[in-house]
């Protein structure tokens, strides 16, 4: 990709990174990770519901950032599942972070992940360029690591009526992350479900506000 017009409309590297907005001179980045399944080797497609659920969040964050020099991109998964120790979504996210660096340099990054993507985002925060994470209804097993979140900003949003991932597991995760030195907080959305359809405005508004604040703060214009 060459020229500011192309950069402004995004770039698809054909790899793990799908850039939605690449402004000239991007000084920070937001990377979105949609959900998936615990197990599944079938290809992940952009028309799957898990991917479609992230589109309103991309739009909300883009609107909150207006013309600020912040890149917006999404992770392209190879397959739909986490798949146990293979942690496929995590590896795809780490590949996307590498591609992001090649595209715009070593800029600070905010990750936004839903469900399986929330787990991948929280894990991928071990990368030094990741400064903050918003995890939406994340999948947080009891043994999920937290030590690498020391000094990072973490916000977890979880619907209290979620029947797919456990909101109380998110509460416990945030408690452990705080003990490890993260600046972590959790907010339970009353009546919120896993698909983030109930109280959708609150999901979008809270995420956009938090992400914009962190993305703008990281480069201190």
């Amino acid at each position: 990709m060459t020229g500011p017009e192309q950069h402004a409309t995004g770039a698809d590297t054909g790899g793990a990174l799908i850039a939605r907005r690449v402004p000239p001179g991007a000084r920070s980045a937001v990377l979105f990770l949609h959900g998936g399944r615990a197990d599944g080797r079938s290809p992940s497609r952009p028309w799957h519901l898990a991917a479609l659920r992230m589109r309103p969040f991309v739009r909300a964050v883009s609107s909150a950032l207006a013309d600020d020099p912040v890149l917006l991109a999404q992770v392209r998964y190879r397959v739909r599942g986490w798949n146990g120790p293979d942690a496929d979504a995590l590896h795809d996210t780490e590949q996307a972070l590498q591609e992001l660096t090649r595209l715009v340099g070593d800029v600070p990054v905010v990750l936004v992940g839903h469900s399986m993507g929330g787990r991948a985002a929280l894990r991928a925060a071990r990368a030094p360029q990741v400064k903050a994470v918003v995890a939406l209804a994340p999948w947080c097993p009891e043994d999920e690591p937290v030590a690498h979140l020391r000094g990072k900003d973490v916000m977890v949003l979880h619907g209290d009526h979620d029947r797919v991932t456990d909101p109380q597991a998110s509460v416990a995760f945030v408690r452990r992350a705080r003990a490890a030195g993260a600046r972590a907080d959790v907010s339970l959305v009353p009546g919120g479900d896993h698909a983030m359809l109930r109280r959708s405005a609150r999901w979008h508004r809270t995420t956009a506000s938090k992400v914009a604040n962190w993305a703008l703060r990281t480069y201190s214009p």
Side-chain angles (χ1 to χ4, degrees):
M1 301 291 292
T2 59
E5 293 81 5
Q6 290 172 302
H7 282 191
T9 57
D12 188 341
T13 65
L17 184 76
I18 305 172
R20 297 303 186 190
R21 185 178 88 166
V22 189
R27 297 176 65 181
S28 63
V30 181
L31 187 58
F32 296 86
L33 298 76
H34 66 73
R37 299 174 174 176
D39 299 287
R41 303 286 182 180
S42 60
S44 179
R45 302 300 189 194
W47 57 82
H48 290 155
L49 282 177
L52 295 176
R53 288 187 184 114
M54 292 306 291
R55 290 186 179 181
F57 290 91
V58 178
R59 290 194 296 268
V61 170
S62 181
S63 178
L65 289 169
D67 295 325
D68 291 295
V70 180
L71 175 146
L72 301 182
Q74 294 174 268
V75 176
R76 175 189 282 122
Y77 302 137
R78 291 161 296 142
V79 296
R80 301 182 76 174
W82 180 272
N83 300 317
D86 289 344
D88 285 309
L90 172 61
H91 292 303
D92 292 336
T93 302
E94 292 174 334
Q95 178 63 35
L97 286 168
Q98 293 175 21
E99 294 173 17
L100 189 157
T101 299
R102 290 196 292 270
L103 184 63
V104 294
D106 189 17
V107 300
V109 179
V110 179
L111 300 179
V112 181
H114 173 236
S115 193
M116 180 191 75
R119 184 182 186 185
L122 291 165
R123 284 272 195 107
R126 64 193 182 189
Q129 69 266 46
V130 176
K131 306 303 181 183
V133 178
V134 174
L136 307 168
W139 174 22
C140 294
E142 289 184 5
D143 59 350
E144 196 66 14
V146 295
H148 64 285
L149 295 172
R150 181 179 180 82
K152 311 259 183 177
D153 291 301
V154 177
M155 178 67 189
V156 177
L157 291 174
H158 213 132
D160 65 1
H161 281 43
D162 196 324
R163 298 295 181 263
V164 178
T165 56
D166 183 358
Q168 291 308 312
S170 284
V171 172
F173 178 89
V174 167
R175 187 180 300 118
R176 293 193 299 115
R178 285 176 181 163
R183 294 182 293 272
D185 199 3
V186 59
S187 178
L188 297 182
V189 179
D193 60 343
H194 191 70
M196 305 176 294
L197 296 175
R198 300 190 190 115
R199 309 293 299 275
S200 61
R202 175 169 173 174
W203 288 93
H204 301 154
R205 182 176 60 250
T206 303
T207 300
S209 175
K210 186 65 70 173
V211 171
N213 177 60
W214 284 337
L216 298 178
R217 187 187 69 195
T218 54
Y219 71 72
S220 300

mmCIF file of all heavy atoms in Angstrom, residues 163-196:
data_model
loop_
_atom_site.group_PDB
_atom_site.id
_atom_site.type_symbol
_atom_site.label_atom_id
_atom_site.label_comp_id
_atom_site.label_asym_id
_atom_site.label_seq_id
_atom_site.Cartn_x
_atom_site.Cartn_y
_atom_site.Cartn_z
ATOM 1 N N ARG A 163 -24.937 -16.822 29.609
ATOM 2 C CA ARG A 163 -25.020 -18.266 29.846
ATOM 3 C C ARG A 163 -23.956 -19.031 29.046
ATOM 4 O O ARG A 163 -23.971 -20.249 29.021
ATOM 5 C CB ARG A 163 -26.420 -18.780 29.457
ATOM 6 C CG ARG A 163 -27.557 -18.168 30.281
ATOM 7 C CD ARG A 163 -27.462 -18.569 31.747
ATOM 8 N NE ARG A 163 -28.554 -18.005 32.535
ATOM 9 C CZ ARG A 163 -28.461 -16.890 33.259
ATOM 10 N NH1 ARG A 163 -27.300 -16.228 33.278
ATOM 11 N NH2 ARG A 163 -29.488 -16.441 33.949
ATOM 12 N N VAL A 164 -23.058 -18.305 28.413
ATOM 13 C CA VAL A 164 -21.997 -18.951 27.623
ATOM 14 C C VAL A 164 -20.655 -18.860 28.343
ATOM 15 O O VAL A 164 -19.957 -19.853 28.512
ATOM 16 C CB VAL A 164 -21.906 -18.317 26.217
ATOM 17 C CG1 VAL A 164 -20.771 -18.952 25.411
ATOM 18 C CG2 VAL A 164 -23.227 -18.468 25.480
ATOM 19 N N THR A 165 -20.275 -17.660 28.749
ATOM 20 C CA THR A 165 -19.101 -17.477 29.594
ATOM 21 C C THR A 165 -19.568 -16.934 30.937
ATOM 22 O O THR A 165 -20.622 -16.301 31.041
ATOM 23 C CB THR A 165 -18.077 -16.532 28.952
ATOM 24 O OG1 THR A 165 -18.713 -15.286 28.642
ATOM 25 C CG2 THR A 165 -17.494 -17.142 27.685
ATOM 26 N N ASP A 166 -18.789 -17.167 31.964
ATOM 27 C CA ASP A 166 -19.226 -16.924 33.344
ATOM 28 C C ASP A 166 -18.835 -15.523 33.817
ATOM 29 O O ASP A 166 -17.647 -15.208 33.923
ATOM 30 C CB ASP A 166 -18.573 -17.975 34.240
ATOM 31 C CG ASP A 166 -19.013 -17.881 35.686
ATOM 32 O OD1 ASP A 166 -19.808 -16.980 36.024
ATOM 33 O OD2 ASP A 166 -18.539 -18.708 36.494
ATOM 34 N N PRO A 167 -19.816 -14.659 34.116
ATOM 35 C CA PRO A 167 -19.473 -13.325 34.612
ATOM 36 C C PRO A 167 -18.708 -13.348 35.924
ATOM 37 O O PRO A 167 -17.845 -12.499 36.160
ATOM 38 C CB PRO A 167 -20.838 -12.628 34.760
ATOM 39 C CG PRO A 167 -21.854 -13.718 34.774
ATOM 40 C CD PRO A 167 -21.278 -14.826 33.958
ATOM 41 N N GLN A 168 -18.998 -14.320 36.772
ATOM 42 C CA GLN A 168 -18.265 -14.384 38.040
ATOM 43 C C GLN A 168 -16.808 -14.805 37.833
ATOM 44 O O GLN A 168 -15.933 -14.434 38.627
ATOM 45 C CB GLN A 168 -18.976 -15.336 39.006
ATOM 46 C CG GLN A 168 -20.318 -14.796 39.485
ATOM 47 C CD GLN A 168 -20.222 -13.385 40.041
ATOM 48 O OE1 GLN A 168 -19.343 -13.092 40.861
ATOM 49 N NE2 GLN A 168 -21.111 -12.508 39.608
ATOM 50 N N ALA A 169 -16.542 -15.560 36.774
ATOM 51 C CA ALA A 169 -15.150 -15.881 36.441
ATOM 52 C C ALA A 169 -14.407 -14.619 36.027
ATOM 53 O O ALA A 169 -13.205 -14.471 36.312
ATOM 54 C CB ALA A 169 -15.096 -16.925 35.328
ATOM 55 N N SER A 170 -15.098 -13.699 35.354
ATOM 56 C CA SER A 170 -14.477 -12.418 35.007
ATOM 57 C C SER A 170 -14.157 -11.612 36.257
ATOM 58 O O SER A 170 -13.097 -10.982 36.358
ATOM 59 C CB SER A 170 -15.397 -11.608 34.089
ATOM 60 O OG SER A 170 -15.373 -12.107 32.772
ATOM 61 N N VAL A 171 -15.081 -11.604 37.213
ATOM 62 C CA VAL A 171 -14.847 -10.894 38.468
ATOM 63 C C VAL A 171 -13.616 -11.465 39.166
ATOM 64 O O VAL A 171 -12.745 -10.726 39.650
ATOM 65 C CB VAL A 171 -16.080 -10.980 39.375
ATOM 66 C CG1 VAL A 171 -15.781 -10.404 40.757
ATOM 67 C CG2 VAL A 171 -17.262 -10.241 38.742
ATOM 68 N N ALA A 172 -13.517 -12.790 39.220
ATOM 69 C CA ALA A 172 -12.375 -13.434 39.867
ATOM 70 C C ALA A 172 -11.083 -13.128 39.116
ATOM 71 O O ALA A 172 -10.029 -12.907 39.727
ATOM 72 C CB ALA A 172 -12.607 -14.938 39.951
ATOM 73 N N PHE A 173 -11.151 -13.116 37.779
ATOM 74 C CA PHE A 173 -9.961 -12.815 36.976
ATOM 75 C C PHE A 173 -9.459 -11.409 37.267
ATOM 76 O O PHE A 173 -8.251 -11.192 37.459
ATOM 77 C CB PHE A 173 -10.277 -12.965 35.489
ATOM 78 C CG PHE A 173 -9.121 -12.628 34.600
ATOM 79 C CD1 PHE A 173 -8.204 -13.595 34.235
ATOM 80 C CD2 PHE A 173 -8.941 -11.329 34.123
ATOM 81 C CE1 PHE A 173 -7.121 -13.284 33.431
ATOM 82 C CE2 PHE A 173 -7.870 -11.005 33.319
ATOM 83 C CZ PHE A 173 -6.953 -11.981 32.969
ATOM 84 N N VAL A 174 -10.364 -10.444 37.300
ATOM 85 C CA VAL A 174 -9.963 -9.063 37.572
ATOM 86 C C VAL A 174 -9.363 -8.938 38.962
ATOM 87 O O VAL A 174 -8.373 -8.218 39.169
ATOM 88 C CB VAL A 174 -11.160 -8.115 37.381
ATOM 89 C CG1 VAL A 174 -10.866 -6.734 37.965
ATOM 90 C CG2 VAL A 174 -11.498 -7.995 35.899
ATOM 91 N N ARG A 175 -9.919 -9.647 39.917
ATOM 92 C CA ARG A 175 -9.368 -9.610 41.270
ATOM 93 C C ARG A 175 -7.921 -10.115 41.270
ATOM 94 O O ARG A 175 -7.031 -9.511 41.891
ATOM 95 C CB ARG A 175 -10.235 -10.472 42.194
ATOM 96 C CG ARG A 175 -9.869 -10.375 43.665
ATOM 97 C CD ARG A 175 -10.765 -11.252 44.524
ATOM 98 N NE ARG A 175 -12.174 -10.861 44.387
ATOM 99 C CZ ARG A 175 -13.128 -11.652 43.918
ATOM 100 N NH1 ARG A 175 -12.838 -12.892 43.533
ATOM 101 N NH2 ARG A 175 -14.367 -11.234 43.837
ATOM 102 N N ARG A 176 -7.663 -11.200 40.550
ATOM 103 C CA ARG A 176 -6.297 -11.738 40.486
ATOM 104 C C ARG A 176 -5.376 -10.803 39.709
ATOM 105 O O ARG A 176 -4.206 -10.635 40.057
ATOM 106 C CB ARG A 176 -6.299 -13.121 39.832
ATOM 107 C CG ARG A 176 -6.998 -14.176 40.679
ATOM 108 C CD ARG A 176 -6.731 -15.586 40.186
ATOM 109 N NE ARG A 176 -7.189 -15.818 38.831
ATOM 110 C CZ ARG A 176 -6.397 -16.090 37.797
ATOM 111 N NH1 ARG A 176 -5.073 -16.121 37.956
ATOM 112 N NH2 ARG A 176 -6.913 -16.324 36.604
ATOM 113 N N ALA A 177 -5.903 -10.184 38.640
ATOM 114 C CA ALA A 177 -5.085 -9.261 37.852
ATOM 115 C C ALA A 177 -4.666 -8.053 38.684
ATOM 116 O O ALA A 177 -3.519 -7.589 38.601
ATOM 117 C CB ALA A 177 -5.851 -8.822 36.608
ATOM 118 N N ARG A 178 -5.593 -7.537 39.480
ATOM 119 C CA ARG A 178 -5.244 -6.424 40.362
ATOM 120 C C ARG A 178 -4.141 -6.822 41.335
ATOM 121 O O ARG A 178 -3.202 -6.054 41.576
ATOM 122 C CB ARG A 178 -6.476 -5.988 41.154
ATOM 123 C CG ARG A 178 -7.505 -5.185 40.375
ATOM 124 C CD ARG A 178 -8.687 -4.921 41.275
ATOM 125 N NE ARG A 178 -9.747 -4.181 40.618
ATOM 126 C CZ ARG A 178 -10.981 -4.103 41.074
ATOM 127 N NH1 ARG A 178 -11.319 -4.746 42.193
ATOM 128 N NH2 ARG A 178 -11.896 -3.401 40.419
ATOM 129 N N ALA A 179 -4.261 -8.003 41.904
ATOM 130 C CA ALA A 179 -3.255 -8.476 42.847
ATOM 131 C C ALA A 179 -1.888 -8.613 42.184
ATOM 132 O O ALA A 179 -0.853 -8.483 42.847
ATOM 133 C CB ALA A 179 -3.688 -9.810 43.450
ATOM 134 N N ALA A 180 -1.891 -8.845 40.866
ATOM 135 C CA ALA A 180 -0.643 -8.982 40.121
ATOM 136 C C ALA A 180 -0.082 -7.638 39.668
ATOM 137 O O ALA A 180 0.987 -7.592 39.063
ATOM 138 C CB ALA A 180 -0.866 -9.878 38.908
ATOM 139 N N GLY A 181 -0.816 -6.551 39.921
ATOM 140 C CA GLY A 181 -0.303 -5.229 39.596
ATOM 141 C C GLY A 181 -0.923 -4.580 38.381
ATOM 142 O O GLY A 181 -0.449 -3.531 37.926
ATOM 143 N N ALA A 182 -1.999 -5.161 37.842
ATOM 144 C CA ALA A 182 -2.698 -4.545 36.716
ATOM 145 C C ALA A 182 -3.641 -3.457 37.227
ATOM 146 O O ALA A 182 -4.149 -3.538 38.353
ATOM 147 C CB ALA A 182 -3.499 -5.584 35.943
ATOM 148 N N ARG A 183 -3.878 -2.456 36.385
ATOM 149 C CA ARG A 183 -4.917 -1.463 36.663
ATOM 150 C C ARG A 183 -6.201 -2.008 36.033
ATOM 151 O O ARG A 183 -6.570 -1.651 34.910
ATOM 152 C CB ARG A 183 -4.527 -0.105 36.074
ATOM 153 C CG ARG A 183 -3.297 0.518 36.733
ATOM 154 C CD ARG A 183 -2.971 1.883 36.152
ATOM 155 N NE ARG A 183 -2.541 1.764 34.758
ATOM 156 C CZ ARG A 183 -1.286 1.564 34.375
ATOM 157 N NH1 ARG A 183 -0.319 1.438 35.287
ATOM 158 N NH2 ARG A 183 -0.977 1.480 33.094
ATOM 159 N N ALA A 184 -6.854 -2.901 36.768
ATOM 160 C CA ALA A 184 -7.968 -3.678 36.209
ATOM 161 C C ALA A 184 -9.281 -3.337 36.885
ATOM 162 O O ALA A 184 -9.331 -3.064 38.091
ATOM 163 C CB ALA A 184 -7.680 -5.166 36.350
ATOM 164 N N ASP A 185 -10.339 -3.364 36.071
ATOM 165 C CA ASP A 185 -11.676 -3.108 36.596
ATOM 166 C C ASP A 185 -12.665 -4.004 35.855
ATOM 167 O O ASP A 185 -12.398 -4.466 34.740
ATOM 168 C CB ASP A 185 -12.056 -1.644 36.396
ATOM 169 C CG ASP A 185 -13.196 -1.204 37.314
ATOM 170 O OD1 ASP A 185 -13.652 -2.027 38.146
ATOM 171 O OD2 ASP A 185 -13.625 -0.049 37.196
ATOM 172 N N VAL A 186 -13.822 -4.241 36.472
ATOM 173 C CA VAL A 186 -14.861 -5.062 35.857
ATOM 174 C C VAL A 186 -16.201 -4.361 36.034
ATOM 175 O O VAL A 186 -16.447 -3.726 37.069
ATOM 176 C CB VAL A 186 -14.905 -6.476 36.478
ATOM 177 C CG1 VAL A 186 -15.178 -6.433 37.968
ATOM 178 C CG2 VAL A 186 -15.910 -7.366 35.748
ATOM 179 N N SER A 187 -17.037 -4.442 35.012
ATOM 180 C CA SER A 187 -18.381 -3.881 35.074
ATOM 181 C C SER A 187 -19.363 -4.923 34.565
ATOM 182 O O SER A 187 -19.225 -5.413 33.442
ATOM 183 C CB SER A 187 -18.474 -2.614 34.213
ATOM 184 O OG SER A 187 -19.789 -2.091 34.218
ATOM 185 N N LEU A 188 -20.341 -5.282 35.394
ATOM 186 C CA LEU A 188 -21.372 -6.224 34.987
ATOM 187 C C LEU A 188 -22.546 -5.452 34.392
ATOM 188 O O LEU A 188 -23.054 -4.509 35.003
ATOM 189 C CB LEU A 188 -21.833 -7.060 36.179
ATOM 190 C CG LEU A 188 -20.763 -7.964 36.812
ATOM 191 C CD1 LEU A 188 -21.381 -8.773 37.948
ATOM 192 C CD2 LEU A 188 -20.132 -8.878 35.787
ATOM 193 N N VAL A 189 -22.946 -5.856 33.191
ATOM 194 C CA VAL A 189 -24.040 -5.182 32.484
ATOM 195 C C VAL A 189 -25.353 -5.828 32.907
ATOM 196 O O VAL A 189 -25.588 -7.006 32.608
ATOM 197 C CB VAL A 189 -23.854 -5.290 30.957
ATOM 198 C CG1 VAL A 189 -25.005 -4.604 30.232
ATOM 199 C CG2 VAL A 189 -22.514 -4.699 30.539
ATOM 200 N N PRO A 190 -26.237 -5.096 33.599
ATOM 201 C CA PRO A 190 -27.500 -5.696 34.054
ATOM 202 C C PRO A 190 -28.338 -6.183 32.877
ATOM 203 O O PRO A 190 -28.601 -5.447 31.926
ATOM 204 C CB PRO A 190 -28.204 -4.536 34.777
ATOM 205 C CG PRO A 190 -27.104 -3.588 35.143
ATOM 206 C CD PRO A 190 -26.099 -3.696 34.038
ATOM 207 N N GLY A 191 -28.726 -7.452 32.929
ATOM 208 C CA GLY A 191 -29.527 -8.033 31.860
ATOM 209 C C GLY A 191 -28.748 -8.363 30.608
ATOM 210 O O GLY A 191 -29.325 -8.859 29.630
ATOM 211 N N GLY A 192 -27.447 -8.101 30.612
ATOM 212 C CA GLY A 192 -26.634 -8.326 29.421
ATOM 213 C C GLY A 192 -26.446 -9.795 29.105
ATOM 214 O O GLY A 192 -26.262 -10.616 30.004
ATOM 215 N N ASP A 193 -26.487 -10.141 27.806
ATOM 216 C CA ASP A 193 -26.289 -11.524 27.371
ATOM 217 C C ASP A 193 -24.948 -11.656 26.658
ATOM 218 O O ASP A 193 -24.230 -10.686 26.466
ATOM 219 C CB ASP A 193 -27.432 -11.964 26.451
ATOM 220 C CG ASP A 193 -27.525 -11.105 25.195
ATOM 221 O OD1 ASP A 193 -26.941 -10.000 25.165
ATOM 222 O OD2 ASP A 193 -28.193 -11.536 24.242
ATOM 223 N N HIS A 194 -24.620 -12.883 26.263
ATOM 224 C CA HIS A 194 -23.316 -13.130 25.655
ATOM 225 C C HIS A 194 -23.177 -12.465 24.292
ATOM 226 O O HIS A 194 -22.084 -12.031 23.922
ATOM 227 C CB HIS A 194 -23.065 -14.638 25.525
ATOM 228 C CG HIS A 194 -21.649 -14.963 25.159
ATOM 229 N ND1 HIS A 194 -20.594 -14.778 26.029
ATOM 230 C CD2 HIS A 194 -21.108 -15.441 24.003
ATOM 231 C CE1 HIS A 194 -19.468 -15.139 25.435
ATOM 232 N NE2 HIS A 194 -19.745 -15.532 24.214
ATOM 233 N N ALA A 195 -24.269 -12.385 23.555
ATOM 234 C CA ALA A 195 -24.222 -11.781 22.218
ATOM 235 C C ALA A 195 -24.143 -10.267 22.270
ATOM 236 O O ALA A 195 -23.975 -9.624 21.223
ATOM 237 C CB ALA A 195 -25.441 -12.212 21.410
ATOM 238 N N MET A 196 -24.287 -9.679 23.451
ATOM 239 C CA MET A 196 -24.189 -8.228 23.654
ATOM 240 C C MET A 196 -25.299 -7.476 22.928
ATOM 241 O O MET A 196 -25.137 -6.324 22.536
ATOM 242 C CB MET A 196 -22.805 -7.707 23.241
ATOM 243 C CG MET A 196 -21.650 -8.410 23.942
ATOM 244 S SD MET A 196 -20.015 -7.873 23.384
ATOM 245 C CE MET A 196 -20.026 -8.479 21.676
#
